[in-house]
Amino acid sequence: MGEHETRIIDGKASAARLKDAVKAQVATHVDAGHRVPGLCTFLVGDDPASDVYVRHKRNDAGFVGFSDVHQKLPADISEEALLDLIREMNRRDDVDGILVQLPLPKHIDRARVLNAILPSKDVDGFHPVNVAGLVLGQPSHWPCTPKGCLHLLDELGVELRGKHAVVVGHSNIVGRPMASLLVQRDCTVTICHIHTQDLAQHTRQADILVVATGCAGLISADMVKDGVVVLDVGISRTEDGKLTGDVQFDDVKPKAAAITPVPGGVGPMTRAMLLQNTLEAYEGHLRLPAEA
């Protein structure tokens, strides 16, 4: 075991600082005579978890001074009707960011809906144009969770260049974009997933370990080396209703130089980065007329 003191990464505090910074920036723009930024949220159907997530996002948006354009739609809305509403929001000058809460009802093609959002308003960072921008290292909206993870590493002062980062999970929302961002920061990156053989052989090499699988307790203490920095993106609910991550926190913590708890680690950063992306979209839209 390492004889260092483990740093618990406080995502709540980091997110609060970021929200305050976005709020101050919005106030500066509005005081200068610019319009208020606008965030449009789409909630289709009555999924209770989605309802909670969207309510939190709308509350955050209100806190920083965004206008709230909310679209609560029935579960049986047609795909074309939803696409028409998205196109309407694409045209609106007072809407800077568009967020479609997932999952969508089964009769709606998720890819078609997400691809209908203008890339400049795609504040989730899921549009292929934004994905290409991320991979190529060009200006684009990055997915909120990987962007939040990178922000936490930077706040910690972790030197990324030359480090071995291991990402467990290869989803388009977290794993793949996280790997791309780490490569751009000159990490050597290994991506592991459900078909990886001998996962522990890879995770034990990690200087930085990002785990995003949704498999509760997947990473045990014998799977990491001393001094590792651990970002636990996964979130599951145990049988007794307790939230838990992909990492066995109490066991891994003594070996880690720094580790995120669940809850209170990466989760709050995801919501804060949605605000940051919307602010960046707004600032980009403000510049467009001058560049035309």
Side-chain angles (χ1 to χ4, degrees), residues 10-180:
D10 189 343
K12 274 187 175 177
S14 186
R17 287 191 293 273
L18 190 61
K19 285 196 281 190
D20 285 342
V22 171
K23 183 177 183 176
Q25 197 65 31
V26 170
T28 298
H29 286 304
V30 173
D31 288 347
H34 297 298
R35 62 174 175 80
V36 170
L39 175 64
C40 174
T41 49
F42 280 90
L43 179 60
V44 184
D46 299 302
D47 179 67
S50 292
D51 189 63
V52 170
Y53 294 146
V54 170
R55 189 163 67 247
H56 284 320
K57 290 169 184 176
R58 292 175 67 198
N59 288 341
D60 289 345
F63 171 79
V64 299
F66 295 166
S67 67
D68 177 25
V69 185
H70 182 54
Q71 301 286 317
K72 174 77 171 77
L73 304 169
D76 61 355
I77 189 173
S78 71
E79 185 176 298
E80 283 306 320
L82 176 57
L83 289 169
D84 283 343
L85 284 168
I86 289 171
R87 293 182 192 114
E88 179 189 333
M89 294 303 155
N90 282 341
R91 292 189 294 268
R92 279 179 55 166
D93 291 338
D94 62 332
V95 170
D96 299 288
I98 299 173
L99 179 149
V100 178
Q101 184 64 43
L102 302 175
L104 289 165
K106 288 185 170 52
H107 68 281
I108 294 176
D109 183 336
R110 164 182 158 166
R112 192 170 176 223
V113 166
L114 295 181
N115 293 356
I117 300 170
L118 271 182
S120 68
K121 297 190 177 189
D122 164 41
V123 288
D124 265 331
F126 295 157
H127 193 285
V129 168
N130 284 325
V131 174
L134 180 148
V135 172
L136 295 172
Q138 297 174 355
S140 64
H141 294 309
W142 298 348
C144 298
T145 300
K147 188 173 184 176
C149 288
L150 201 60
H151 184 88
L152 289 174
L153 291 171
D154 285 341
E155 273 206 336
L156 276 173
V158 176
E159 174 58 56
L160 297 177
R161 178 170 292 161
K163 294 293 175 61
H164 188 179
V166 176
V167 179
V168 185
H170 64 343
S171 75
N172 290 331
I173 294 173
V174 182
R176 294 186 197 191
M178 188 77 242
S180 291

Side-chain angles (χ1 to χ4, degrees), residues 261-282:
V262 176
V266 173
M269 292 305 300
T270 299
R271 278 169 41 201
M273 282 302 166
L274 174 68
L275 303 174
Q276 179 67 32
N277 278 356
T278 304
L279 174 66
E280 290 169 6
Y282 165 72

Side-chain angles (χ1 to χ4, degrees), residues 113 207 288:
V113 166
D207 301 309
L288 283 179

